[in-house]
Amino acid sequence: MQCHRAWPLLLLCALAPAATGVAAGDFVLSGRIDADAHERYIELPFEVPEGTGRITVEFDYSGREEKTTIDLGLVDPHGLRGWSGGNKRMFTVAVDDATPSYRPGPLPAGRWQLLLGVPNIRAGAVSDYTARIALTPAATPERLPAVLQPVLRDGPGWYRGDLHAHTGHSDASCPSQQGAKVPCPLFLTLQAAAERGLDFVSVTEHNTASHLQELRGLQPYFDRLLLVPGMEVTTFEGHANVFGLQAGLDFRVGDAVRDWNALLVEVERRGLPISVNHPALPGDERCMGCGWRPEGGTDWSRVAAVEAVNGQDAGTPVSGIPFWHARLDEGHRLTGIGGSDNHDATLRDSRFGRSRVGAPTTVVHAASLSQQAILEGIRVGRVFIDADGSGAALDLVARHGDTTVAMGGNLALPRDAEAGFELRVSGAPGARVEVIVDGAVAPLLTDANVVGPDQRLAWRWRSDGGRHWLRVDVRAADGRLLLVGNPIYVNFPER
């Protein structure tokens, strides 16, 4: 421990990372104040190196039971950066977002100050404080400290969410109080998701990260709804959602960014999953740049998912499902997901071109309700799409010998070997199941009808030793698509 007097009334101790067990880029400032600090301000200096993209501070102190109060603020090399008083024990500041009370923006290298204000400490009292400070490099903005990665619900389960929504931070609009068409407030999208019982929602604005600031401030309020920041990278050659980003991403494909594959390399470097959106839409004046047609091709090994269902497009000529199937046939393991593409959070029903929040719903089996777990669940592929957000569900597993795999898994199956498949469908009585093998409906079920609220169906399938994929759809009695399952892969190369 190294200590020095930073102020006549303050003993400041800076502990080296090895001594405190913190990660590289983290350090701890600790010290003690006494009654001489009453109604005084104390500056605790620390150095911020060039290339820092985020500063996160966790602060605590003793003596609250004796009415000691220590307020908190931050000073950068150019002046006061924010002041939260006694309101918060943690705050973060980055280029694109900051905890309310603090300003986002560039983080200049040099001497910063953690500012303490002491409105009260009684005569004879002392208070020990600790400030843990984490510095995140700008080059790796998604490597957040644990305190910024909330787990809203622990434990594995199926979590329901909407992976494609817009607000007034890009091109969403809704009626004002007087009925005028205005940019739609982000809060309304989150409120709509919460009212529909969703577990997570990704706000994916077109080519901007301006919404990160508002999401940062609203997550504590929506403590049952995980807010996943995203961006719809919107180019002249196609659109794609990037999930989990914590800083902006250059979208200028064909200009500042060489081509889509160069952008995919950058997204992969940052550890972010990306999904190709509404790939079958036209790319002309009817929907400029909407369809997927990169001039330099697509390195599908760097893509996690395809938006198989966008809004209410299932069963229409612009459905993404055939495009997804074609990529699966080529040997790519891509998770099929859905997103409402909502542009008006006040919508209460859905139709083609205008879908309410949560229709469709993407349902992900994840280790917890946390951003890391949800995004990993999408990568793994144990996912299904609830096409109209009705609450219906499915799960598919396959077994061969001692091996069991779920949706997204790969089953090694030699020629003439058989696998047993078991499907569970709930919340869809009166529906009918389609088993799809390599893009075609296969007559593997002797009775494909769903007659009860929670039903299991089983079949066997014989391998020819080649590469195949099998998945299921569940359709209503009128043929409308209700549920879209992800594949179980057979004899695919391991990722």
Side-chain angles (χ1 to χ4, degrees), residues 192-261:
E195 289 172 355
R196 284 159 177 70
L198 298 184
D199 300 305
F200 63 90
V201 62
S202 186
V203 179
T204 52
E205 306 292 12
H206 295 285
N207 294 344
T208 184
S210 67
H211 54 303
L212 300 187
Q213 167 75 357
E214 198 168 356
L215 290 174
R216 176 72 61 200
L218 288 171
Q219 181 65 88
Y221 175 79
F222 287 96
D223 55 2
R224 291 186 296 203
L225 177 69
L226 181 70
L227 312 184
V228 179
M231 176 190 288
E232 184 169 16
V233 182
T234 305
T235 78
F236 306 134
E237 303 171 13
H239 300 185
N241 277 344
V242 176
F243 302 114
L245 84 169
Q246 299 294 328
L249 183 68
D250 198 332
F251 58 89
R252 293 172 293 171
V253 169
D255 190 327
V257 181
R258 184 184 70 250
D259 56 20
W260 255 105
N261 283 331

Side-chain angles (χ1 to χ4, degrees), residues 40-130:
R40 302 291 296 271
Y41 293 103
I42 302 164
E43 295 179 340
L44 308 183
F46 61 95
E47 293 294 321
V48 173
E50 195 74 42
T52 298
R54 179 180 298 276
I55 300 170
T56 304
V57 177
E58 297 176 75
F59 185 77
D60 202 4
Y61 63 93
S62 65
R64 288 182 174 84
E65 68 282 355
E66 297 178 308
K67 305 301 181 181
T68 296
T69 301
I70 300 179
D71 293 341
L72 200 59
L74 185 67
V75 179
D76 70 18
H78 304 300
L80 188 67
R81 193 61 180 257
W83 177 259
S84 54
N87 180 252
K88 299 174 179 73
R89 296 192 189 185
M90 185 279 295
F91 67 84
T92 189
V93 176
V95 173
D96 291 304
D97 72 88
T99 301
S101 304
Y102 297 86
R103 290 184 292 108
L107 308 184
R111 176 155 290 199
W112 290 56
Q113 315 265 3
L114 188 62
L115 183 60
L116 309 184
V118 188
N120 191 63
I121 184 169
R122 292 174 176 174
V126 297
S127 175
D128 295 311
Y129 70 83
T130 301

Side-chain angles (χ1 to χ4, degrees), residues 332-452:
H332 306 295
R333 293 172 65 176
L334 300 166
T335 302
I337 62 174
S340 68
D341 206 353
N342 175 267
H343 283 70
D344 179 353
T346 66
L347 291 176
R348 291 297 180 262
D349 56 13
S350 299
R351 60 183 186 273
F352 181 64
R354 285 172 60 83
S355 187
R356 65 176 175 83
V357 172
T361 298
T362 300
V363 190
V364 181
H365 194 274
S368 64
L369 182 54
S370 65
Q371 180 174 287
Q372 182 178 5
I374 293 296
L375 298 187
E376 180 60 22
I378 292 171
R379 288 187 179 98
V380 169
R382 193 175 179 191
V383 173
F384 67 87
I385 305 166
D386 180 353
D388 60 5
S390 67
L394 67 79
D395 196 12
L396 178 66
V397 298
R399 296 182 176 87
H400 173 64
D402 295 331
T403 302
T404 301
V405 299
M407 290 183 293
N410 185 41
L411 188 65
L413 204 59
R415 183 181 182 88
D416 293 329
E418 279 194 344
F421 286 77
E422 183 176 306
L423 172 69
R424 181 176 182 180
V425 180
S426 61
R432 184 173 179 83
V433 173
E434 293 178 341
V435 181
I436 299 168
V437 181
D438 301 331
V441 177
L444 296 174
L445 284 168
T446 55
D447 186 354
N449 295 309
V450 180
V451 296

